[in-house]
Amino acid sequence: MDIEEISKHFIHVYNRNIVFTKGEDVYLYDSQGSKYLDMGAGIAVCALGYSNEEYKQALKEQINKIIHTSNLYFNEPAIKAAGYITEATGLDRVFFTNSGTEAIEGAIKLARKYAYLKNKDSQGGIIAMEHSFHGRSMGALSVTGTKHYREPFEPLIGGVSFAEYNNLESVKALINSGTCALIMETLQGEGGIYPATEEFITGIRKLCDENGILLILDEIQCGMGRTGKMFTYQHYGVKPDILTTAKALGCGVPVGAFAASSEVADAMCPGDHGTTYGGNPLATAAVCKVFEIFKEKGILQHVNETAPYLREKLEALKNKHNKIIKDIRGMGLMLGMELAVPASHIVTEALKNKLILISAGSTIIRFVPPLVIEKEHIDTMYNILDGIFNKAYDVYKKLNN
Ligand SMILES: *Cc1c(COP(=O)(O)O)cnc(C)c1O
């Protein structure tokens, strides 16, 4: 296929040059039939890989019953899926969306409505984090901590200020009587794989409680088992007031959700929010099956067995190529490798070697494989990367001359 010709028909916001046609296990196949090992999982989406027959069967069955009705009525898969989410999160009520970004929009609206009911003159101030990523819509972009994503699209929504992640004092300094919510990823993804320290996250929970601020945790990327618990905040013994989830929630079918405690959720009343597609039977049938497979197949346990091995292998690469690899960090199967060379160079080389990697920022490679990955796949990845880093040293030398 002629990539230049294909590209003409798309608004150019991605640089891409492969057409994938098929997935199997933890591999993708391109239009030429080449097989790639996938360490990106469709950006942390395809947690079950590409060959889960039970998942595919559940979708086919749902298609035969009904794909869509609208939110003017209940549907059976959504009822069940809401139950799974409340059970897994310890939160009370759920709203289904079509994407992560929309879950963020809903979470922001809910926090603002809650503050408004308490005080009609509420200023709706929101504290967000530097290096955060919450999505591309005007609201989600407003709380995204990367200036060059925001700037061309200003004016965005007002009342947002940015604190430094893992710096409690910088958060304290921004709190005032107009602050209604604090939004953060429990483990920063897009911004470069930065986990929260225990001190930071428990301190944030305390600050929010003391000041009547709602804590919104964005687990769109780090949730759904990625770090070895269903949600990453469960490692820290804290609970958000509002949680956002998406990506692996449907394992490929576009679906997201935000969930909240009843006290907060009940600030919304009919007419306040809505969506045509959100939570439709097809999407929520996927959600149900994902939760069921996680339980049956012991996905969390598998993550907890496999993740230390991935980390060990990445650490081994770092020790061997310590001029190029500066840091390995993250949790579970969400790991980052910080480089002294541009990440894009390594990503491109990896693709040539039929290994799919994704970056997070200009010098960080992000490892977010399907959660069903096995040690043998990690060994394959190790060998490919080892070869690439052997050669990348020349690039490093050039950059430093
Ligand atoms: C991907 C992502 C989003 C946006 O989700 P979309 O489904 O792309 O709209 C928001 N927050 C985080 C942490 C993400 O990783």
Side-chain angles (χ1 to χ4, degrees), residues 44-355:
V45 167
C46 307
L48 300 173
Y50 303 97
S51 291
N52 196 295
E53 288 306 321
E54 210 190 315
Y55 170 82
K56 292 189 216 174
Q57 197 53 37
L59 289 178
K60 288 176 197 168
E61 279 168 25
Q62 188 57 49
I63 287 169
N64 289 338
K65 278 191 210 159
I66 187 163
I67 294 175
H68 180 78
T69 52
S70 92
N71 280 308
L72 304 177
Y73 322 100
F74 282 117
N75 71 69
E76 284 178 332
I79 296 167
K80 209 167 163 195
Y84 285 144
I85 293 176
T86 53
E87 190 194 343
T89 59
L91 295 167
D92 302 307
R93 311 210 204 293
V94 178
F95 182 97
F96 287 106
T97 66
N98 307 290
S99 68
T101 301
E102 281 174 79
I104 297 291
E105 293 294 322
I108 293 172
K109 278 182 72 179
L110 175 56
R112 287 237 168 125
K113 178 76 193 292
Y114 180 80
Y116 171 84
L117 289 182
K118 280 207 291 191
N119 172 10
K120 293 275 179 295
D121 297 319
S122 161
Q123 310 195 313
I126 299 167
I127 298 173
M129 298 294 146
E130 283 163 16
H131 301 295
S132 64
F133 181 83
H134 299 292
R136 306 294 197 152
S137 64
M138 295 305 267
L141 196 55
S142 304
V143 292
T144 287
T146 310
K147 207 166 167 213
H148 72 259
Y149 285 166
R150 292 197 311 267
E151 223 166 43
F153 306 102
E154 289 173 347
L156 299 171
I157 67 166
V160 181
S161 54
F162 291 93
E164 200 183 314
Y165 200 72
N166 280 337
N167 179 343
L168 209 52
E169 290 307 316
S170 79
V171 176
K172 267 186 208 159
L174 293 178
I175 293 176
N176 59 48
S177 60
T179 309
C180 79
L182 184 147
I183 182 167
M184 60 180 269
E185 293 150 274
T186 320
L187 162 51
Q188 286 191 326
E190 208 72 32
I193 312 290
Y194 294 101
T197 62
E198 174 127 26
E199 186 195 2
F200 183 62
I201 207 155
T202 52
I204 288 282
R205 182 64 273 180
K206 194 155 163 273
L207 272 181
C208 286
D209 290 339
E210 286 166 359
N211 293 281
I213 296 168
L214 295 180
L215 174 58
I216 305 170
L217 288 182
D218 179 353
E219 298 224 2
I220 289 167
Q221 187 162 164
C222 67
M224 291 305 290
R226 181 134 303 270
T227 66
K229 289 196 188 279
M230 215 51 206
F231 291 94
T232 298
Y233 66 81
Q234 292 161 344
H235 288 285
Y236 299 90
V238 298
K239 207 167 126 183
D241 300 298
I242 306 174
L243 174 79
T244 59
T245 168
K247 289 200 165 96
L249 180 64
C251 280
V253 172
V255 60
F258 64 99
S261 64
S262 55
E263 199 221 328
V264 173
D266 291 349
M268 287 281 201
C269 60
D272 274 345
H273 198 55
T275 163
T276 300
Y277 287 133
N280 90 7
L282 182 64
T284 47
V287 174
C288 289
K289 197 38 88 179
V290 168
F291 274 99
E292 286 157 13
I293 293 170
F294 263 66
K295 206 168 196 175
E296 272 164 38
K297 293 263 163 22
I299 298 290
L300 292 184
Q301 197 189 334
H302 183 76
V303 171
N304 288 319
E305 283 164 12
T306 320
Y309 190 70
L310 176 59
R311 186 157 195 138
E312 187 188 304
K313 286 299 189 190
L314 296 181
E315 294 283 359
L317 283 169
K318 175 176 168 249
N319 291 337
K320 195 163 170 202
H321 306 281
N322 59 11
K323 292 228 162 53
I324 305 166
I325 304 172
K326 297 206 295 200
D327 191 26
I328 304 294
R329 57 175 177 258
M331 294 166 78
L333 288 178
M334 183 166 170
L335 297 177
M337 174 185 269
E338 186 161 347
L339 303 168
V341 296
S344 59
H345 171 74
I346 303 298
V347 170
T348 306
E349 287 305 307
L351 269 183
K352 287 185 201 157
N353 288 279
K354 308 291 179 259
L355 171 68

